[in-house]
Amino acid sequence: MTVTASDRNGIRLLTLNDPERRNPLSPGLVQDLLEQLNAAEQDPNTRAVVLTGAGQAFSAGADLDFLKSVTTAGAEANYAHSRSLMRLFHRVYTFPKPTIAAINGPAVAGGAGLAMACDLALMSEAAQIGYSEVKIGFVAALVGVILVRNVGEKHARELLLTGRLVSASEAYRMGLVNRIIPPEQLLDETLALAQEVSANAPTSLALTKELLNALPGMGLEDGLRLASIANAWVRETGDLAEGIAAFFEKRPPRF
């Protein structure tokens, strides 16, 4: 398997596991990751997902074997490949449970896109991240859609047009990542953050993610209308009933 899974107290740790090739987004890895995400969603004991890479890299992006054949593969094969990446990024971005990237090493091109599709991202002090597609004549199309939502237009233009990799400190300045962590503490800190997030009400987390996905494309009135519907609907959920009961009984909620 090019993706391994392990459970840590309700957190599903998914590790991209092709370290000799720096964990490229090969067709096999993309399919394995989609299957692991499906399993994590269906498992009621999984409250959040952490993504990281085996070895020295998070993900170097494109599979080198794919790059060698891309100009002769034909339109149908190239479109099928592009669609598979689109499904992966969309799946991670809209995943109903919290997702956190532990960027342990270089996250490049599609690898950067995968990390940015997660809800939160923690980055090793020694790691770099960037979108190098323009340097070889590619275009950072799919990953660009997610990047603009993360950092806004000016930072996205700088990253996509220069194609350069940036350090952890610059990634933090741009808003690409939430925290910078010493390499030896990265996984533990990421799992701790996942525990903190997943202690909250699952229904609230899923609905909050749906709102965050939808609101950037809406006008003020449509956004407020959707928010009012969500506000009313959540009042009928068991999670809210438990949360209110726990609040008044001065005990931790049992979600």
Side-chain angles (χ1 to χ4, degrees):
M1 292 286 289
T2 57
V3 179
T4 62
S6 61
D7 291 313
R8 312 285 183 93
N9 297 318
I11 309 303
R12 182 68 53 87
L13 174 62
L14 300 181
T15 302
L16 310 183
N17 189 37
D18 190 359
E20 292 79 12
R21 301 196 303 156
R22 296 161 60 87
N23 307 316
L25 298 183
S26 63
L29 188 146
V30 169
Q31 184 59 38
D32 286 346
L33 186 50
L34 284 169
E35 291 176 1
Q36 290 288 359
L37 289 168
N38 289 339
E41 180 180 3
Q42 294 164 14
D43 184 354
N45 295 316
T46 297
R47 302 287 296 270
V49 170
V50 168
L51 288 179
T52 194
Q56 300 302 309
F58 179 80
S59 173
D63 181 11
L64 295 182
D65 291 336
F66 163 74
L67 281 180
K68 292 175 182 177
S69 64
V70 64
T71 59
T72 58
E76 293 84 358
N78 279 318
Y79 184 56
H81 179 267
S82 182
R83 292 276 298 179
S84 71
L85 289 176
M86 181 195 74
R87 285 192 294 271
L88 175 61
F89 295 144
H90 184 268
R91 181 70 164 126
V92 175
Y93 195 86
T94 62
F95 197 68
K97 301 177 182 182
T99 56
I100 306 179
I103 306 172
N104 56 301
V108 183
L114 179 61
M116 292 302 97
C118 294
D119 296 312
L120 303 170
L122 276 63
M123 188 171 181
S124 164
E125 292 174 340
Q128 290 182 303
I129 188 169
Y131 300 80
S132 58
E133 285 88 342
V134 293
K135 291 185 176 295
I136 61 169
F138 241 116
V139 60
L142 295 170
V143 296
V145 173
I146 295 171
L147 177 63
V148 171
R149 281 176 165 245
N150 273 268
V151 301
E153 188 174 331
K154 285 301 182 185
H155 286 319
R157 284 176 181 266
E158 180 179 353
L159 288 164
L160 298 179
L161 295 178
T162 65
R164 66 186 178 89
L165 303 185
V166 299
S167 66
S169 60
E170 192 166 3
Y172 180 78
R173 177 184 66 80
M174 289 182 168
L176 285 164
V177 298
N178 300 93
R179 301 179 190 175
I180 304 171
I181 308 294
E184 66 277 6
Q185 299 173 20
L186 177 65
L187 189 55
D188 286 344
E189 292 279 351
T190 307
L191 291 169
L193 179 58
Q195 290 285 353
E196 178 184 352
V197 171
S198 64
N200 296 314
T203 304
S204 299
L205 291 170
L207 187 55
T208 298
K209 289 193 61 170
E210 287 193 35
L211 288 170
L212 289 168
N213 291 340
L215 291 176
M218 291 184 164
L220 177 63
E221 290 187 5
D222 287 341
L224 288 173
R225 188 175 298 112
L226 177 63
S228 68
I229 293 170
N231 190 302
W233 179 84
V234 78
R235 301 178 192 189
E236 303 295 321
T237 63
D239 276 353
L240 182 61
E242 167 61 16
I244 290 175
F247 176 79
F248 284 108
E249 293 169 13
K250 296 181 171 54
R251 61 171 175 81
R254 295 183 290 270
F255 295 125

